[in-house]
Amino acid sequence: MALFPDADSSLLVIGFVLILCLKFAHAYYERSKLKHIPTLGADGVFTSYLTAFRWITKATDIIEEGYRLYPGGIYKIPTIDGWQVVVNGRDMVDDIRKATDRDLSNLDATDDILQVKYTMHPHLSDNPYHIDVVRTPLTRNIGICYGDMLDEVQTVISEKIPPSEDWVEIHAHDVVLQIVVRAVNRFFVGLPLCREPEWCELNIKFTMNVVINSLIINLFPKFMQPVVGRIFTARKSSLKTALKYLKPIIEERLMMQERYGKDWTDKPNDYIQWCMDAEQNAPLSQRTSIEDLTVRVLAVNFAAVHTTSAFTYALFNLAAHPEIVDPLRKEVEHVLEREGWSKVGMVQMKLLDSFLKESERMNGVGATGLPRKVLKDFTFSNGTTVPAGSSIVAAVWAIQRDDKLYPNGNEFNPYRFFDKRSQEGEAIKHQLVTPTLEWVLFGQGKHACPGRFFASAELKT
């Protein structure tokens, strides 16, 4: 008789137990490094998992509790994939804003959270010049290309939410996904590709896969992540599908670029071309790499699809506060009469800007934000030192609802920022796209979201 009736099952159990032991050992080591920082919830190597599992479904409750217990301070919480150091208040946010990339790294934190090398591409973060493409040529071209995005928004909304004499029920999130992907890809890749159903579906699935797969990978010890990352991701199949559409486009443009050089008079004006023009910033091995350019198109779609939540919450808040609909329509009509459909017109819609910002303040942020990885021991202004290798986040959910910063912070007030902008010298400070120590949705300092101006124009349209 066999010693193990089911050898495969036994190996799985042994492997699972080994992984748990390694996770516990790592948790114990990390806890010892952070013992001088107070813990929210259970602190033991085993009991801390009670808080970690609570974090999965009650993250905002935990953050609000920490905000009350440690005002303007710092604490740590256990999560399934490790200890998280959380900071509260303006001063601590300012410390993060002023820190250098040699001390606190936003890019390294993002890579760890999203497991970019496995979920997107192994070399995407080696030289993320596409971020500068979004920050500069994409932002500069919002006004020039605005008419194309407007046309796509009008077209896709008329298709997905057709005019009717009666009420029509829609699944808001699913419909909004289709609208957002079509609108942003009109800007990124142009016609006719932005209307190709398989292309749109690819970018939606790619975004979802990155989030889900990164969560799975982060459950495993670091030494196992390269193996798990190859098993639990759809990166290669996504890239294969994307190449089917982008390879002919990029090859043709490379040919035209070689033939005409600077004399290429009708050169396309879209994200693909801006990346091609910026390739001098890429390593030699990546220049004119069709795969590299394709991955950067997928990456910018991943970022853009996240405006879906902002759009969805805006629709829900319109439904919940119908009294704001007429004032918003009057403002839009008044501005359009004066400026027409344009980037300038979008900027002048101050009540719409206030409504969207308030909608985001109340609903559009996660429990935490401003992720940073500590590369060198970092001391905050309150004297607390966080050791290298730690992960830091800010208590964004609680900051955005702080009654001292936002009176009656748990109440939805669409005029909140409109009224503030009406005060002398406050017109710029309270815009949706302006980061402040109180408004951290779009990040801080030089790491503020490079696509926030595009996102604002898109949402308003």
Side-chain angles (χ1 to χ4, degrees), residues 121 363 369 377 446:
H121 196 273
N363 307 108
D377 290 1
K446 66 180 180 180

Side-chain angles (χ1 to χ4, degrees), residues 9-298:
S9 298
S10 300
L11 287 173
L12 285 174
V13 171
I14 292 170
F16 181 70
V17 171
L18 179 61
I19 290 172
L20 284 180
C21 290
L22 290 168
K23 292 285 285 185
F24 287 141
H26 181 71
Y28 182 81
Y29 171 71
E30 290 296 318
R31 188 189 65 163
S32 66
K33 290 199 307 179
L34 300 169
K35 63 183 178 182
H36 61 290
I37 297 175
T39 304
L40 187 65
D43 194 42
V45 173
F46 294 99
T47 57
S48 62
Y49 276 84
L50 296 174
T51 305
F53 285 115
R54 182 172 170 239
W55 174 257
I56 296 172
T57 57
K58 301 289 185 180
T60 55
D61 292 346
I62 292 174
I63 288 300
E64 287 183 339
E65 181 183 352
Y67 203 74
R68 290 193 306 271
L69 293 175
Y70 305 101
I74 187 169
Y75 61 96
K76 67 179 184 289
I77 53 174
T79 66
I80 294 297
D81 53 347
W83 289 92
Q84 194 87 263
V85 176
V86 184
V87 300
N88 289 328
R90 297 175 77 258
D91 291 342
M92 308 294 263
V93 168
D94 199 29
D95 290 338
I96 292 177
R97 181 185 67 83
K98 293 187 291 189
T100 68
D101 291 341
R102 294 185 301 274
D103 295 322
L104 304 181
S105 173
N106 173 253
L107 186 62
D108 285 5
T110 303
D111 283 351
D112 283 352
I113 293 168
L114 296 177
Q115 291 290 330
V116 170
K117 68 174 69 173
Y118 308 120
T119 60
M120 293 191 184
H121 196 273
H123 302 298
L124 180 63
S125 297
D126 292 349
N127 183 18
Y129 69 86
H130 57 283
I131 296 175
D132 290 326
V133 170
V134 174
R135 181 178 290 114
T136 307
L138 186 148
T139 300
R140 286 177 180 170
N141 278 281
I142 294 173
I144 297 170
C145 300
Y146 180 79
D148 291 335
M149 183 169 66
L150 170 65
D151 176 66
E152 199 59 36
V153 168
Q154 292 173 328
T155 301
V156 68
I157 287 182
S158 67
E159 292 175 6
K160 303 300 179 182
I161 315 176
S164 173
E165 296 297 326
D166 200 357
W167 291 99
V168 177
E169 181 180 301
I170 65 167
H171 295 281
H173 185 260
D174 295 341
V175 171
V176 166
L177 267 175
Q178 296 292 329
I179 293 171
V180 168
V181 169
R182 284 269 297 269
V184 299
N185 274 281
R186 179 68 179 267
F187 210 89
F188 296 159
V189 302
L191 287 170
L193 183 53
C194 70
R195 295 180 183 175
E196 169 57 48
E198 187 181 22
W199 173 257
C200 294
E201 189 63 23
L202 163 68
N203 284 289
I204 292 171
K205 286 184 176 179
F206 179 77
T207 299
M208 302 305 176
N209 286 337
V210 168
V211 174
I212 294 169
N213 294 337
S214 62
L215 288 172
I216 294 172
I217 294 169
N218 278 318
L219 293 175
F220 290 82
K222 286 193 179 296
F223 80 91
M224 292 188 65
Q225 289 176 356
V227 176
V228 176
R230 287 169 173 79
I231 297 173
F232 286 101
T233 62
R235 176 182 70 79
K236 290 185 178 180
S237 62
S238 296
L239 178 60
K240 183 179 179 181
T241 304
L243 281 168
K244 181 175 76 171
Y245 291 103
L246 293 185
K247 185 178 179 181
I249 295 172
I250 296 171
E251 285 180 337
E252 181 181 3
R253 294 191 188 188
L254 288 171
M255 182 182 67
M256 297 294 286
Q257 203 164 266
E258 185 177 352
R259 180 181 300 174
Y260 296 108
K262 294 182 179 180
D263 297 325
W264 187 5
T265 54
D266 57 347
K267 184 167 71 171
N269 192 36
D270 57 23
Y271 176 78
I272 298 174
Q273 193 61 47
W274 301 327
C275 278
M276 292 177 70
D277 292 343
E279 272 197 314
Q280 65 268 21
N281 299 319
L284 284 171
S285 61
Q286 294 177 23
R287 292 184 191 177
T288 67
S289 164
I290 294 174
E291 179 176 311
D292 180 71
L293 288 166
T294 300
V295 168
R296 294 176 196 273
V297 175
L298 289 173

Side-chain angles (χ1 to χ4, degrees), residues 50 107 276 293 335 348 373 380 397 401 427:
L50 296 174
L107 186 62
M276 292 177 70
L293 288 166
V335 171
Q348 293 184 14
K373 183 158 186 186
F380 280 91
W397 176 271
R401 291 167 177 260

Side-chain angles (χ1 to χ4, degrees), residues 220-432:
F220 290 82
K222 286 193 179 296
F223 80 91
M224 292 188 65
Q225 289 176 356
V227 176
V228 176
R230 287 169 173 79
I231 297 173
F232 286 101
T233 62
R235 176 182 70 79
K236 290 185 178 180
S237 62
S238 296
L239 178 60
K240 183 179 179 181
T241 304
L243 281 168
K244 181 175 76 171
Y245 291 103
L246 293 185
K247 185 178 179 181
I249 295 172
I250 296 171
E251 285 180 337
E252 181 181 3
R253 294 191 188 188
L254 288 171
M255 182 182 67
M256 297 294 286
Q257 203 164 266
E258 185 177 352
R259 180 181 300 174
Y260 296 108
K262 294 182 179 180
D263 297 325
W264 187 5
T265 54
D266 57 347
K267 184 167 71 171
N269 192 36
D270 57 23
Y271 176 78
I272 298 174
Q273 193 61 47
W274 301 327
C275 278
M276 292 177 70
D277 292 343
E279 272 197 314
Q280 65 268 21
N281 299 319
L284 284 171
S285 61
Q286 294 177 23
R287 292 184 191 177
T288 67
S289 164
I290 294 174
E291 179 176 311
D292 180 71
L293 288 166
T294 300
V295 168
R296 294 176 196 273
V297 175
L298 289 173
V300 78
N301 264 284
F302 171 82
V305 168
H306 280 75
T307 58
T308 298
S309 62
F311 190 4
T312 305
Y313 283 125
L315 289 177
F316 289 161
N317 281 312
L318 280 175
H321 302 275
E323 70 279 0
I324 191 62
V325 172
D326 282 342
L328 282 172
R329 281 181 172 160
K330 288 177 181 177
E331 178 188 66
V332 170
E333 289 167 357
H334 178 70
V335 171
L336 291 180
E337 285 178 7
R338 187 175 65 247
E339 301 291 345
W341 286 97
S342 64
K343 176 188 174 184
V344 173
M346 296 301 106
V347 172
Q348 293 184 14
M349 295 178 186
K350 295 181 180 180
L351 180 56
L352 179 56
D353 190 272
S354 177
F355 166 78
L356 287 170
K357 185 172 180 178
E358 181 72 350
S359 182
E360 283 290 271
R361 186 188 72 82
M362 290 292 292
N363 307 108
V365 295
T368 60
L370 302 181
R372 298 291 188 272
K373 183 158 186 186
V374 184
L375 301 185
K376 295 193 299 185
D377 290 1
F378 183 80
T379 302
F380 280 91
S381 54
N382 71 347
T384 303
T385 297
V386 181
S390 304
S391 297
I392 294 177
V393 291
V396 171
W397 176 271
I399 291 172
Q400 304 291 185
R401 291 167 177 260
D402 188 334
D403 287 333
K404 294 178 182 177
L405 303 176
Y406 302 99
N408 300 315
N410 284 311
E411 293 181 10
F412 183 86
N413 176 8
Y415 290 92
R416 185 184 300 275
F417 301 103
F418 179 83
D419 293 340
K420 287 185 176 184
R421 290 182 68 182
S422 300
Q423 301 171 15
E424 187 175 351
E426 299 290 302
I428 302 297
K429 180 181 177 181
H430 301 289
Q431 290 184 100
L432 172 65

